[in-house]
Amino acid sequence: MAFYLDMTSVLDTFKSEVTVISEAQGQWIDGQWVEDAEGERKTFYEPFVPNDRIGVYSLVDVLRETGHVEQYNAVWISAQTYPLGTIVEHKATKYKVANIQDLTNYSNVTLYYLQSEVNDNGINKL
C-alpha cells in the first residue's frame, strides 16, 4: 500500500503571496540580483517561512552528509516545480533557490530552501 500525503489544505491554510521571476536575464553583483531584462513573473499563494519565524529546531539549518551546515533564509513550500537558481520574491525581498527537496514521490509539494544576504543596514538582498 502506497502512502501519499495531500498537502493542499496546508498550502491553503498558511498561504502567503510569493512571486517567481523565471527566465530573468541579469547577474549577481555583490550578492544582489541585478536584472538586465525582466523575466516572467508568476504569483502564487503558498506557505513561505522566513528564518526568523522557524526557530531553533528548524529545517533552515540543514546538516549535509559531509557535516557541512548550510544556512537558508527561508523555506517555500510549493506545489510548483522550478530549478535551482530561480529568483523568488516575498514582501519586496528577493531570494534565490539554493536547494530543493522534492517530496513528490509521496506528496504534492516541493520544499525550496532560499538564500538572501543582509546588508549592513539589516536589509535583505540577494
Side-chain angles (χ1 to χ4, degrees), residues 34-102:
V34 178
E35 289 184 51
D36 296 330
E38 189 170 318
E40 179 183 350
R41 299 173 76 85
K42 290 185 181 178
T43 300
F44 301 101
Y45 294 89
E46 298 178 322
F48 187 95
V49 186
N51 187 20
D52 60 349
R53 299 265 196 257
I54 296 175
V56 177
Y57 303 105
S58 72
L59 292 174
V60 174
D61 288 319
V62 179
L63 182 62
R64 300 282 174 223
E65 299 82 35
T66 61
H68 178 71
V69 176
E70 292 200 34
Q71 177 69 34
Y72 300 106
N73 298 91
V75 176
W76 171 35
I77 305 169
S78 180
Q80 314 308 317
T81 303
Y82 285 99
L84 288 172
T86 298
I87 306 301
V88 177
E89 186 173 23
H90 181 259
K91 295 187 178 180
T93 300
K94 291 181 181 168
Y95 299 84
K96 175 178 65 170
V97 173
N99 196 9
I100 299 171
Q101 186 174 5
D102 183 1

